[in-house]
Amino acid sequence: MGVAYSVGEVDHLYTFFVQWSPETIYSKHTSKQDFLTVHPQTLSVIDTLLNNSDPKNWKIVTVNQQNKRCASVCSSADSESEDLLPVLINHSQILKQHHLEHLVSQIPARTQGYRWKLVYSTAEHGTSLRTLYRQMADIDRPVLMVIKDSDKQVFGAFSSDPFRVSNFCYGTGETFLYSFSPEFQIFRWSGENSYFVRGFLDSLQMGGGGGPFGLWLDADLYRGSSYSCDTFCSRPLSLHHDFTVQDLEVWTFI
């Protein structure tokens, strides 16, 4: 079955095929115009375009042009993603780009856009909870703890207040636990209780409520444990309830 087109429509149709499929207009060995075969479905689409739109508004884009455009958009998106990453003043033994990408979008708005400063690191300051407390004595900003255990799992906590020795629990609902073991998960305040953080000379505790802690560390920052807890409705952060610390860092925002 044939399809009839006006002279103007034929001109537009010819332009369409010259742009999209020049090999159907010209053979490989001559510039002489030849017959072309078009699938009925293709004719139907073209016919709809001709009848329902003004050819002056057409914009013909080849596959190569579209691929280049997509590549440009993807490159721009990657650039924007890198721009959103925080600036780390110090080198991290633990944090990689994918860790930063997840964490920076979860920390409170009041800490975003600031540079990250390393306050404490077991690699730099040794393995001592007392030293960790001393390093934070003059800090009045939130802190982010990052732990890498002997199983190479990364997890930790954001605290609305710097870690310190206390006679009672402290912190606010901004405090949360997180884990990259095996995929990123964040455990925010459940509202069940306010056992956010409590610091002792011989241990640091986060989360609780009638049972084990969401995160617990010993005086040497060498051994730790993690269980489900009511404060954050969290699951264990590490692969095992009890873990051995390989590296531990605490960052603040300036």
Side-chain angles (χ1 to χ4, degrees), residues 76-109:
S76 175
D78 290 341
S79 176
E80 290 179 5
S81 176
E82 291 179 0
D83 290 341
L84 293 174
L85 293 181
V87 175
L88 272 59
I89 297 176
N90 314 92
H91 172 71
S92 174
Q93 298 283 345
I94 307 173
L95 292 169
K96 307 301 181 185
Q97 179 170 326
H98 71 282
H99 297 134
L100 295 173
E101 288 174 350
H102 285 292
L103 290 170
V104 74
S105 64
Q106 300 297 332
I107 58 178

Side-chain angles (χ1 to χ4, degrees), residues 47-239:
D47 191 44
T48 300
L49 286 171
L50 291 172
N51 291 326
N52 298 331
S53 62
D54 184 355
K56 292 180 180 179
N57 297 326
W58 289 6
K59 185 174 183 180
I60 298 175
V61 181
T62 65
V63 173
N64 287 338
Q65 289 173 329
Q66 184 65 18
N67 286 341
K68 290 179 181 178
R69 188 172 300 175
C70 288
S72 175
V73 171
C74 291
S75 176
S76 175
D78 290 341
S79 176
E80 290 179 5
S81 176
E82 291 179 0
D83 290 341
L84 293 174
L85 293 181
V87 175
L88 272 59
I89 297 176
N90 314 92
H91 172 71
S92 174
Q93 298 283 345
I94 307 173
L95 292 169
K96 307 301 181 185
Q97 179 170 326
H98 71 282
H99 297 134
L100 295 173
E101 288 174 350
H102 285 292
L103 290 170
V104 74
S105 64
Q106 300 297 332
I107 58 178
R110 69 187 178 103
T111 62
Q112 294 184 9
Y114 289 91
R115 295 179 300 168
W116 291 22
K117 179 181 179 181
L118 186 64
V119 179
Y120 174 83
S121 166
T122 52
E124 180 178 345
H125 301 100
T127 56
S128 168
L129 183 58
R130 289 173 181 258
T131 302
L132 184 151
Y133 290 143
R134 282 198 299 270
Q135 288 296 114
M136 298 186 196
D138 298 324
I139 294 177
D140 60 356
R141 304 180 184 90
V143 293
L144 179 75
M145 175 183 286
V146 187
I147 300 169
K148 183 177 183 180
D149 68 10
S150 56
D151 291 319
K152 311 301 181 185
Q153 302 302 304
V154 176
F155 51 91
F158 175 90
S159 175
S160 60
D161 297 75
F163 300 119
R164 63 179 185 271
V165 176
S166 62
N167 295 323
F168 49 83
C169 293
Y170 59 89
T172 71
E174 290 181 321
T175 304
F176 63 79
L177 303 179
Y178 70 87
S179 176
F180 287 91
S181 174
E183 297 178 351
F184 181 69
Q185 278 189 284
I186 183 170
F187 305 98
R188 297 191 181 278
W189 180 40
S190 67
E192 286 293 316
N193 59 54
S194 299
Y195 303 151
F196 299 113
V197 187
R198 187 171 181 186
F200 297 87
L201 288 175
D202 61 354
S203 67
L204 179 64
Q205 306 168 357
M206 298 192 69
F213 305 106
L215 180 61
W216 177 90
L217 296 166
D218 72 359
D220 297 321
L221 299 178
Y222 179 68
R223 298 195 180 280
S225 65
S226 179
Y227 290 80
S228 299
C229 74
D230 293 341
T231 311
F232 304 105
C233 281
S234 57
R235 65 164 178 80
L237 305 180
S238 53
L239 291 178

